[in-house]
Amino acid sequence: MRVLILCTGNSCRSQMAHGFLQSFDKNIEVYSAGTEASGKLNTKAVEVMNEIGIDISQHSSDSVQKYLGEKWDFVITVCGGANEACPAFIGDVKHRLHIGFDDPSHAVGSDEFIMSEFHRVRDEIKDGFYKFYQENIKEA
């Protein structure tokens, strides 16, 4: 089972989703990428994942170009709001899905509020990807 998780910057939401999906089942090949990959991970995303025992600090922020020639069971986009364009993936894909989330890196306000947004989105990603895992992989 091969899964590619896509977003724009590949620094936050797709990285958290990658970490969760891999934690549910080590036998799944999980990768993440972005159409405009930032080349680095969002430090707050790494921090909130570490809080729950999932280390994504060694992940890399990769361009979607790296994966275009490969075969995928699932390609999942995770961008959220109407202001954000989700990347399209043209390639050998069995199933394309969209599981959208707000981008906590765009949160503005106090440090406490910003971290609360990272926690909220992290928890939503966990729930969304666990549901995906249960319905599409575990029962398959």
Side-chain angles (χ1 to χ4, degrees):
M1 178 70 59
R2 299 187 82 229
V3 178
L4 178 63
I5 303 167
L6 290 180
C7 68
T8 305
N10 190 223
S11 67
C12 189
R13 292 164 294 179
S14 54
Q15 295 289 350
M16 289 192 280
H18 179 164
F20 277 122
L21 192 54
Q22 197 72 77
S23 77
F24 301 150
D25 188 335
K26 300 290 185 213
N27 294 317
I28 305 169
E29 286 185 60
V30 183
Y31 302 87
S32 60
T35 53
E36 299 170 18
S38 66
K40 61 185 193 285
L41 302 185
N42 182 296
T43 57
K44 289 179 176 61
V46 173
E47 180 182 338
V48 298
M49 292 299 284
N50 273 334
E51 290 172 2
I52 58 169
I54 299 174
D55 182 8
I56 63 170
S57 65
Q58 299 306 308
H59 288 195
S60 58
S61 175
D62 299 322
S63 169
V64 69
Q65 299 295 325
K66 179 177 179 178
Y67 300 107
L68 287 178
E70 300 182 30
K71 293 184 179 189
W72 301 98
D73 294 296
F74 290 92
V75 171
I76 304 169
T77 53
V78 294
C79 3
N83 303 345
E84 208 175 351
C86 278
F89 185 85
I90 299 167
D92 190 347
V93 180
K94 289 182 185 173
H95 307 281
R96 297 172 199 274
L97 297 173
H98 176 73
I99 309 172
F101 304 97
D102 293 336
D103 187 348
S105 67
H106 292 158
V108 177
S110 67
D111 290 343
E112 293 80 14
F113 174 75
I114 291 169
M115 286 309 292
S116 75
E117 285 296 284
F118 273 87
H119 287 116
R120 176 183 67 82
V121 172
R122 176 202 64 197
D123 295 345
E124 288 175 1
I125 290 171
K126 179 182 180 183
D127 292 345
F129 272 80
Y130 191 70
K131 181 179 179 196
F132 160 77
Y133 171 71
Q134 292 284 3
E135 293 174 355
N136 296 281
I137 296 176
K138 188 174 182 185
E139 294 178 1

